[in-house]
Amino acid sequence: MRRIQLYRWWLPTLLFLIPALPIAAQSFRVQCPTYTPAHPNPTTLPPGTPLAPGAIKCQQISGGDGFATMGDGTQTYLFGFGPLSGVQDIQNGLPGTEIVATFNAVGGANGAVGLVNPATGAVDVAPIMNLGVMNANMPAPTMAIEEDDEFFLTLTNVGMIMRPDLFEQHTVHFHGYPNASSFYDGVPDASVAINIGGSFTYYYLAPDAGTYFWHCHVTPPEHLQMGMVGQLYVRPRQNRVSGSLYDGLVAQQADRRTACYPHSTTTPFYDQTNPDILCSSPLPSNHGAVTGGGTYAYNDGDASTAYDVEYPIQIHGFDPNFHFVGMTFNPEGFVDMKDKYFLLNGRSYPDTIKPGPQLTQSADGASHFSQPLPTIISIPTGGKALLRISDLDVTEFQTLASLGIPMHVVGINARLLRDLAGNDLTYYTNSITVGGGESVDVILDACAARATGGSCTTPIPSGTYYLYTPNLDHLSNDAENFGGLMTEVHICTSVDPLTKVGVGCK
Amino acid sequence: MSLNIFKLCAMPRLLPVVLAALALLTPAAHAAVPGITGTSFDLRAEASFISQPDGSMVYSWGYGCNTAPSSTAFVPAAIARASCPSMQIPGPTLIVQENTEFKVTLTNRLPVGAGNTSILFPGLQLLSTNGGTTGLLTQEATTASPVTYTLIAKSPGTRAYYSGTQGDLQVEMGLYGAVIVLPASGGSSACRALAPTLPDGQTDFRLAASAYDHAATCYDREYLFQFSEIDPKIHRQAEEQVAAIAACVPPDPASGLSPCPKTLNVVTENYHPAYFMINGRSMPDDMDANYQTQVYPHQPYNGNPHMHPGELVLLRIIGQGRWQHPFHEHGNHVRVLARDGNLILSAADPTRLAGPLLFTTTTTPGQALDGIFYWTGKGLNWDVYGHGYTGDPSVCIPDANGYYTQLANGNGQPNGVPNSAATEPNYYEWCQDHKKALEKSPFGAVAGGGPVTLPDANILTDGAWYGGSPYLGPDANTRATGSTPIPPAGTVVNSPGTEAGFAFMWHSHNEREITTNDIFPGGMMMMMLVDPQAFTIDESL
């Protein structure tokens, strides 16, 4: 019924524009092309042409509202983004970014919800609305891509069912993206925002590796406080290097897009005396003959950011008064905003250590997956965990401390801590302090002493350790005086890096 | 066409009011780092009112000029209508030379009961003082006796200055400002010297060739941003108590009534700010012009950054007030050069910078930070100028960094003359993406065959700073949108026909602070515009 009305309204405009308008003027649609100019069909390339690195990745999310469960059991209203693709992966605590074949699998467990025709991106509205309404996740679906990937992110605005007074648009701001385009930067005042009943596909070639994050940028004091915040990280192409890591980083100087130094006509082919002032990966000044094959946080060229398992952790805070007002059409107080719930990946202790996704009963009487991510850090014996920490609190700074396992800060604001002469500027600490809009990469090394080759000679004993906040007032769930920003770190015999499931954990 | 206006009126906040205010904005209001220069500064501390976008006038105290500086003292000279009132917030920006002694005289014109006042100059060397009276932190000016500070800066860079007397009250009331120290040499010889124009022929508004005496600190453009808050409760108490002291008639001692109050007793905790400002103004006022004295008699400085692609922009960032603010720059990272005038260099190689790359440059009260930012669109994988259409004559010859900065020689290579392409509309284009299409089947005269299909413009809401299309510049904009007028307007302050820049929000990421007394938008927010090369950035307006 609704679709027919929409079509009728469009008709005169459509007829006028038909010669120039692309495809159909359907408001909801996804985009996930099988081939692009940067990743063309390999069968059409001249023989011997190397394939372009990276891949095409896609994700669809809904912008709307929902409910979440706080640490003291309170059911809290939120604005949020929910998954409309990669749904099974999200429920298993994984990012919802998929390769083309998975995204475009009609009816697939991780496919785009509602997809009817992968070639055109045409969707059936009903499955989108059936899942999308009240589907808000806290935090929003995680996005994870590799350098050299092209990322198509479709935001579908399903409306906020509890706020019929709002014609609210939503956007996605890719926070921290260098040389971002204004059109895809997601700031509604600076460009465009998608209306209710429409889809907008953001397009980006992956930026330099690091821990970024994303969030809605419509009325940020409201939408961020209400929960429209999510995680986003880019893995380095060094993960694909099997030979010498240093040579791999030198090879990156050949492509000006990935180079730190200008081209030179003499040997070597790059001018190391003149780095770009915003260069993200200078060549390391002191490097051994380290070979690749592992996973790294950055293109370090010397394995200094190697890790075994990665854990995204997003810090946030909720003001329960504000959320109640947000549900009940009352004027909002920004001056009086005061967080009382403190969240790691959308949950407060002890929910942070409960495995599996969390469900919340919403105003429609149904239970929805509201908070898919626990924050259980499992590290294999003598191994390393990379904590990709971001903070989207809108009122105050937050501190996260590690009890028992030192923190090695290797990156700040999605950039490796290294000076432009290639010297190491990473440091060790027991706590990190972040404000809203900041991110930090911390490696927890479960090894007290290593041999020169890197193998662990004195592992930290197996057991349960803690990440918690020394802002002791944030160790609470509103009136409950113990909760908030706290979670457990387990040293296990082994940990599956994909599923994060640990074996032999104490 | 009316669709967007309907949506605006339905917004439950004061957005229409704010947008109406935006429409009154001076069309091209930019900034640079205006201030007064010299070796002797005659300042006073005085009370007045400053305005907020919600219409309130907040009783405040600020530094100002005790005597009007000569017209040649105002820099940069290209900024017209410069003036220094007797009270302004922030205080006058003092621009001095490294290693050159200078004096600051402070006359205390604060109201009766406010007591003494003073100035602290962290990061500068206080050589001696004259006059005034001994205070806790420094020599203070009484109402009867001004104080003169003799100072010297031993390194270049940005510093804060603020009251050293009853700081919890006086800094809150507005007694703070900035000192800019220029390198003694005028700047590194490796950087382009100060000149009337930049290579592209547009006015050079810089104060020096580089931020420090170091070849890696060159810049093309600079801005100063000072962050502060206002708790109106504190200002109201001060205003009422000052009035009570002034109006009080001493009672007859025999009456038993209390004597007149002699000093203020303002409670400054619990701290609950409602106003958040950049350079003394909240959004959208911060985006009006510098020195707009009819509208802002006591708030001369603005926050309205513009730049062309490829320009190195020096950001001088100071935390005034008492809270930290995570200042987030959309569009790229900032390379931190220095903190409090201390250039951060590699311990192993002092020719190389060692400050971090930050996309959020958090401010700390009393601390100053210098950083470099630029935008070029490198790595987007599509041509932001919409090149590649049939008959497109544009060229992009990559230099050693991959940008179009030099015109072609006979062989399609850079001609070896630095910045010879500076007047080209696509100067500093990232050549690897030249002619790469964004759109699959475009509507309009831009290249097709790209990866994305844009949604129909009728299901989007346009922002006030939307250029009109995804592309940069009026030429690309017009070609991309074709003859059909751009649906729902609302593109008020980034004219699609003459500017069509890329807008990026620069703001405090404690999002509650981008409000003005519960109204969004407001507070600590600015829009930074990356303007197409052809657009003239005139900081003097």
Side-chain angles (χ1 to χ4, degrees):
Chain A
M1 191 62 177
R2 189 163 146 265
R3 279 178 82 192
I4 292 167
Q5 283 173 349
L6 205 66
Y7 182 69
R8 280 204 192 121
W9 179 57
W10 280 113
L11 195 54
T13 328
L14 194 60
L15 286 173
F16 177 67
L17 293 173
I18 269 180
L21 207 62
I23 314 182
Q26 183 192 22
S27 295
F28 278 178
R29 66 169 298 180
V30 295
Q31 291 188 47
C32 191
T34 314
Y35 302 113
T36 58
H39 292 101
N41 188 341
T43 62
T44 61
L45 298 173
T49 317
L51 281 183
I56 299 169
K57 304 263 172 72
C58 307
Q59 194 158 353
Q60 189 190 180
I61 53 175
S62 60
D65 57 1
F67 284 83
T69 307
M70 300 293 99
D72 61 358
T74 308
Q75 199 192 14
T76 295
Y77 179 63
L78 53 133
F79 296 173
F81 297 101
L84 286 178
S85 72
V87 176
Q88 189 176 76
D89 281 344
I90 299 255
Q91 277 169 14
N92 291 333
L94 299 174
T97 313
E98 310 293 348
I99 56 171
V100 178
T102 309
F103 185 87
N104 282 341
V106 176
N110 283 314
V113 171
L115 183 62
V116 162
N117 184 346
T120 60
V123 293
D124 179 5
V125 175
I128 289 180
M129 294 303 285
N130 287 340
L131 177 62
V133 170
M134 292 288 230
N135 190 27
N137 274 192
M138 181 59 206
T142 304
M143 302 173 186
I145 51 180
E146 321 282 324
E147 280 181 325
D148 307 312
D149 281 350
E150 285 176 281
F151 187 39
F152 291 81
L153 172 71
T154 299
L155 167 61
T156 295
N157 190 340
V158 299
M160 299 197 286
I161 205 86
M162 296 287 293
R163 292 296 303 269
D165 62 311
L166 294 179
F167 304 139
E168 214 78 339
Q169 299 89 29
H170 294 298
T171 60
V172 174
H173 168 52
F174 295 83
H175 187 115
Y177 267 32
N179 286 303
S181 84
S182 183
F183 188 69
Y184 290 126
D185 193 36
V187 176
D189 326 71
S191 59
V192 296
I194 189 70
N195 299 342
I196 296 177
S199 298
F200 183 87
T201 301
Y202 291 82
Y203 168 74
Y204 269 110
L205 181 65
D208 289 348
T211 299
Y212 302 89
F213 40 96
W214 67 277
H215 55 87
C216 184
H217 218 287
V218 175
T219 316
E222 180 188 39
H223 287 222
L224 265 78
Q225 163 63 238
M226 291 301 284
M228 302 193 89
V229 300
Q231 302 185 85
L232 163 66
Y233 45 92
V234 182
R235 299 191 189 94
R237 62 182 66 82
Q238 188 173 285
N239 285 352
R240 295 172 242 144
V241 170
S242 50
S244 153
L245 288 182
Y246 187 79
D247 292 347
L249 192 52
V250 168
Q252 286 195 42
Q253 309 310 315
D255 179 352
R256 287 186 177 116
R257 178 173 69 87
T258 58
C260 180
Y261 312 100
H263 273 206
S264 161
T265 45
T266 57
T267 313
F269 61 89
Y270 52 93
D271 177 9
Q272 210 174 335
T273 64
N274 204 7
D276 170 24
I277 196 170
L278 297 188
C279 149
S280 46
S281 320
L283 287 167
S285 57
N286 243 350
H287 61 99
V290 193
T291 51
T295 40
Y296 311 92
Y298 292 96
N299 292 310
D300 49 46
D302 61 1
S304 52
T305 66
Y307 65 90
D308 297 293
V309 202
E310 70 187 344
Y311 293 95
I313 301 180
Q314 187 155 83
I315 300 173
H316 200 48
F318 273 1
D319 173 347
N321 290 335
F322 194 92
H323 284 247
F324 183 76
V325 158
M327 187 172 66
T328 54
F329 304 33
N330 284 309
E332 290 158 340
F334 299 113
V335 175
D336 293 335
M337 201 185 270
K338 178 83 182 89
D339 295 335
K340 297 284 171 66
Y341 294 113
F342 303 93
L343 314 170
L344 290 175
N345 286 335
R347 304 188 198 171
S348 304
Y349 186 85
D351 297 335
T352 49
I353 59 168
K354 292 187 185 145
Q358 193 162 311
L359 290 134
T360 304
Q361 191 178 54
S362 305
D364 58 357
S367 274
H368 296 254
F369 286 105
S370 55
Q371 292 136 293
L373 290 173
T375 310
I376 303 166
I377 316 293
S378 300
I379 314 180
T381 309
K384 298 180 183 178
L386 171 66
L387 307 183
R388 296 181 177 277
I389 302 173
S390 56
D391 182 7
L392 277 165
D393 197 306
V394 305
T395 57
E396 50 187 329
F397 286 71
Q398 307 266 17
T399 303
L400 201 59
S402 173
L403 270 181
I405 305 174
M407 292 174 145
H408 183 198
V409 178
V410 299
I412 290 183
N413 285 194
R415 288 292 174 266
L416 175 64
L417 285 174
R418 178 178 286 174
D419 70 27
L420 282 177
N423 295 305
D424 177 31
L425 290 179
T426 65
Y427 61 93
Y428 288 84
T429 183
N430 292 324
S431 75
I432 51 99
T433 298
V434 278
E438 297 183 318
S439 65
V440 61
D441 292 293
V442 170
I443 291 183
L444 291 183
D445 189 352
C447 180
R450 285 185 188 277
T452 353
S455 59
C456 187
T457 51
T458 316
I460 291 180
S462 278
T464 299
Y465 299 81
Y466 296 95
L467 283 177
Y468 79 107
T469 180
N471 299 132
L472 299 177
D473 56 320
H474 298 180
L475 260 188
S476 60
N477 299 324
D478 199 357
E480 279 183 3
N481 71 353
F482 187 50
L485 280 187
M486 177 164 149
T487 191
E488 291 177 358
V489 180
H490 301 150
I491 296 184
C492 316
T493 318
S494 67
V495 180
D496 181 325
L498 197 57
T499 62
K500 323 284 164 83
V501 174
V503 172
C505 302
K506 294 273 174 61
Chain B
M1 201 60 75
S2 62
L3 198 67
N4 198 46
I5 299 165
F6 170 74
K7 281 189 192 345
L8 292 174
C9 291
M11 290 284 186
R13 299 163 204 93
L14 278 165
L15 192 52
V17 173
V18 173
L19 282 173
L22 281 177
L24 297 171
L25 282 184
T26 321
H30 309 142
V33 179
I36 47 179
T37 191
T39 50
S40 177
F41 301 94
D42 186 17
L43 304 183
R44 66 159 65 174
E46 194 174 77
S48 188
F49 289 82
I50 61 170
S51 74
Q52 293 295 335
D54 64 351
S56 39
M57 299 299 287
V58 183
Y59 176 74
S60 304
W61 298 342
Y63 298 111
C65 286
N66 194 39
T67 53
S70 76
S71 56
T72 51
F74 291 100
V75 284
I79 294 193
R81 296 188 329 255
S83 64
C84 183
S86 58
M87 178 279 195
Q88 61 172 74
I89 289 179
T93 301
L94 309 179
I95 298 167
V96 300
Q97 291 291 123
E98 179 192 10
N99 293 329
T100 302
E101 253 181 50
F102 65 97
K103 290 185 192 313
V104 178
T105 301
L106 177 64
T107 302
N108 185 346
R109 289 270 174 272
L110 291 180
V112 176
N116 297 343
T117 188
S118 60
I119 306 180
L120 295 176
F121 296 90
L124 302 181
Q125 218 175 307
L126 181 62
L127 298 171
S128 63
T129 62
N130 220 321
T133 186
T134 311
L136 186 62
L137 293 177
T138 189
Q139 199 74 356
E140 298 179 339
T142 66
T143 45
S145 175
V147 61
T148 299
Y149 305 98
T150 304
L151 305 138
I152 193 166
K154 305 303 275 173
S155 72
T158 310
R159 313 283 199 287
Y161 72 80
Y162 45 86
S163 171
T165 311
Q166 268 194 285
D168 64 317
L169 174 62
Q170 295 199 3
V171 174
E172 164 65 27
M173 293 299 290
L175 287 167
Y176 54 81
V179 179
I180 309 283
V181 183
L182 304 179
S185 55
S188 166
S189 54
C191 303
R192 192 182 65 250
L194 277 191
T197 58
L198 300 170
D200 60 11
Q202 299 185 21
T203 310
D204 186 351
F205 287 95
R206 295 174 301 163
L207 296 171
S210 60
Y212 290 79
D213 306 288
H214 194 286
T217 66
C218 307
Y219 66 95
D220 300 302
R221 201 171 289 282
E222 60 187 308
Y223 293 105
L224 169 65
F225 302 126
Q226 302 185 58
F227 287 77
S228 59
E229 323 86 31
I230 282 183
D231 178 347
K233 213 172 61 268
I234 295 176
H235 293 244
R236 219 167 11 251
Q237 282 181 73
E239 183 182 2
E240 286 164 6
Q241 291 180 21
V242 160
I245 290 175
C248 185
V249 176
D252 186 344
S255 66
L257 291 171
S258 307
C260 284
K262 290 261 170 51
T263 57
L264 303 188
N265 192 10
V266 177
V267 177
T268 56
E269 288 289 341
N270 296 321
Y271 191 64
H272 207 60
Y275 299 106
F276 303 92
M277 301 166 318
I278 299 178
N279 291 342
R281 300 187 197 169
S282 305
M283 164 74 167
D285 297 350
D286 58 357
M287 299 200 63
D288 263 331
N290 278 315
Y291 298 122
Q292 225 175 333
T293 46
Q294 313 95 306
V295 189
Y296 311 107
H298 303 290
Q299 293 152 285
Y301 304 136
N302 70 355
N304 190 340
H306 286 247
M307 61 186 73
H308 291 126
E311 284 180 346
L312 296 170
V313 181
L314 173 65
L315 303 183
R316 302 177 183 276
I317 300 167
I318 304 181
Q320 306 281 14
R322 69 166 79 179
W323 275 8
Q324 285 190 290
H325 303 286
F327 174 39
H328 171 47
E329 294 91 343
H330 284 228
N332 215 340
H333 283 76
V334 174
R335 170 72 68 185
V336 174
L337 295 177
R339 291 191 201 275
D340 291 334
N342 297 292
L343 188 58
I344 306 172
L345 297 173
S346 172
D349 180 354
T351 65
R352 304 296 181 88
L353 300 174
L357 281 171
L358 300 177
F359 50 58
T360 299
T361 47
T362 291
T363 70
T364 299
Q367 187 181 88
L369 177 159
D370 295 309
I372 296 279
F373 176 98
Y374 71 68
W375 187 93
T376 57
K378 167 178 168 180
L380 276 176
N381 203 39
W382 51 277
D383 187 319
V384 298
Y385 301 92
H387 293 138
Y389 56 94
T390 321
D392 173 23
S394 69
V395 295
C396 194
I397 316 290
D399 63 10
N401 289 303
Y403 296 106
Y404 181 37
T405 57
Q406 298 179 13
L407 298 171
N409 60 12
N411 299 324
Q413 294 297 308
N415 68 0
V417 180
N419 301 319
S420 46
T423 51
E424 294 296 298
N426 59 333
Y427 177 55
Y428 257 103
E429 179 181 353
W430 173 245
C431 292
Q432 212 179 73
D433 290 340
H434 186 55
K435 298 196 179 184
K436 277 196 199 167
L438 169 68
E439 302 182 59
K440 230 180 225 169
S441 323
F443 178 76
V446 291
V452 200
T453 302
L454 300 188
D456 188 293
N458 285 293
I459 60 170
L460 298 172
T461 297
D462 296 346
W465 278 271
Y466 183 41
S469 76
Y471 304 101
L472 179 66
D475 169 62
N477 211 27
T478 315
R479 280 185 287 106
T481 50
S483 55
T484 313
I486 304 168
T491 56
V492 180
V493 277
N494 178 14
S495 163
T498 56
E499 188 174 1
F502 274 1
F504 296 97
M505 193 186 285
W506 282 9
H507 63 105
S508 168
H509 216 283
N510 271 348
E511 305 283 6
R512 172 259 292 282
E513 296 170 355
I514 59 172
T515 57
T516 297
N517 206 8
D518 281 342
I519 300 165
F520 174 83
M524 285 169 172
M525 188 208 296
M526 311 174 270
M527 297 306 279
M528 182 278 281
L529 264 296
V530 173
D531 288 314
Q533 184 56 51
F535 181 80
T536 302
I537 296 177
D538 187 356
E539 319 267 21
S540 71
L541 290 173

